[in-house]
Amino acid sequence: MFASFKNLFKSKNRSAEDSPLNSVVSENDVQRQQEQINDQQRREVEERYRQQHPDQIKQEKELSFEHKTNKLKKS
């Protein structure tokens, strides 16, 4: 019984020492994490837009295709 209590106490102390609150994070790491969060939010917003406006997306692709083909015809 004491051995399990002793192990439990040691594991709590060890996890407190390894806590991320005690570690120093570089500015580059913080910026990288923020960029990842921003990218993820941007992708989510783009996906919602695609789901809500499928006709507009299709129309934009067609216009882009026409513009590209016309540009190639002139060359």
Side-chain angles (χ1 to χ4, degrees):
M1 179 173 172
F2 290 113
S4 62
F5 180 72
K6 185 177 178 182
N7 289 338
L8 178 65
F9 183 76
K10 283 183 180 180
S11 67
K12 283 187 179 180
N13 284 343
R14 195 175 319 122
S15 64
E17 292 172 357
D18 298 335
S19 172
L21 297 175
N22 294 336
S23 65
V24 176
V25 179
S26 72
E27 183 179 349
N28 291 335
D29 291 339
V30 172
Q31 287 177 348
R32 205 172 306 119
Q33 287 175 348
Q34 187 63 40
E35 288 173 358
Q36 288 175 348
I37 292 169
N38 290 342
D39 286 343
Q40 182 180 2
Q41 289 174 342
R42 179 186 49 81
R43 281 188 239 115
E44 290 172 359
V45 169
E46 288 175 351
E47 183 60 31
R48 274 189 304 220
Y49 181 83
R50 269 188 240 117
Q51 291 174 356
Q52 293 173 354
H53 303 87
D55 295 336
Q56 188 172 2
I57 302 283
K58 185 177 178 182
Q59 183 182 16
E60 289 174 1
K61 285 182 180 180
E62 289 174 359
L63 289 174
S64 174
F65 178 75
E66 290 176 12
H67 175 71
K68 289 176 185 178
T69 54
N70 289 338
K71 193 172 183 179
L72 286 172
K73 287 179 184 178
K74 290 181 183 178
S75 297

